[in-house]
Amino acid sequence: CGSGHFLYIAYQELKQIEQDLLDKIAERRRAENVQMQMGYVTPLQFFGIDNNPFAVELARVTLMIARKVAIDRLGRSDFEPALPLDTLDKNIVCEDALFTEWPKADAIIGNPPFLGGSWIRTSLGDEYAEKVFNRFSDIRAQIDFCSYWFRLRWPSFSC
């Protein structure tokens, strides 16, 4: 999840879509006198995995800032208070994404690390390189590091 920038942008976009839907529902309710309810997009619907503890904490804070910015930008403070802050300890975790079970998701947005296949051993060490190569033994060792994320999520992805 890095610094959480992808999470920030995704949250802002989903909140805008939500607001557009709420506006359309309100128009329909006025026109047809129909009562409808709709849940809110919240930071608790977003997940992140990073092996850098600082990046994890930063992503959590970034997502909380995204929430406050969206509430203010969309004029939702009367309906959606910014406080209390959500606890994202279970949503954004400090783990190795290649060796951790990912949460179920409808969409995946991210920026896996790019590192040419010939640099994996040099940059990450022999022990980690062997761990990756053993985990993904059906993938050529010289592919870019980011390819392992695709294989993890889509087993039929050809590398």
Side-chain angles (χ1 to χ4, degrees):
C1 61
S3 66
H5 184 70
F6 282 98
L7 296 171
Y8 180 92
I9 297 298
Y11 185 83
Q12 292 299 324
E13 293 299 319
L14 285 174
K15 287 303 284 186
Q16 184 61 58
I17 291 168
E18 176 188 72
Q19 185 61 50
D20 294 345
L21 288 172
L22 289 171
D23 291 344
K24 288 181 188 229
I25 289 170
E27 286 174 24
R28 184 175 180 174
R29 281 178 40 192
R30 282 190 296 273
E32 299 176 9
N33 199 22
V34 174
Q35 196 171 26
M36 299 177 79
Q37 292 183 0
M38 181 173 180
Y40 294 112
V41 172
T42 75
L44 294 172
Q45 296 164 318
F46 290 75
F47 298 90
I49 304 170
D50 201 298
N51 63 359
N52 179 327
F54 183 79
V56 167
E57 290 301 324
L58 185 55
R60 290 173 182 162
V61 171
T62 298
L63 200 48
M64 290 296 92
I65 291 170
R67 180 175 182 231
K68 174 66 171 142
V69 168
I71 289 169
D72 291 348
R73 180 176 57 87
L74 299 170
R76 303 282 312 156
S77 59
D78 290 345
F79 310 101
E80 189 176 354
L83 294 175
L85 297 177
D86 293 317
T87 301
L88 298 175
D89 294 350
K90 293 181 181 175
N91 293 61
I92 302 176
V93 297
C94 189
E95 299 284 342
D96 186 324
L98 288 180
F99 299 97
T100 300
E101 185 176 342
W102 290 14
K104 300 266 187 235
D106 293 324
I108 298 172
I109 302 169
N111 187 16
F114 293 90
L115 180 64
S118 60
W119 292 100
I120 293 173
R121 188 176 298 279
T122 304
S123 298
L124 301 175
D126 290 335
E127 185 177 326
Y128 188 78
E130 288 303 318
K131 186 177 175 181
V132 171
F133 298 154
N134 287 333
R135 168 77 168 83
F136 300 95
S137 59
D138 60 328
I139 299 177
R140 296 181 296 122
Q142 295 300 312
I143 65 166
D144 194 285
F145 194 54
C146 69
S147 298
Y148 297 108
W149 273 259
F150 292 105
R151 177 53 67 88
L152 187 63
R153 294 313 298 165
W154 299 282
S156 62
F157 177 76
S158 178
C159 299

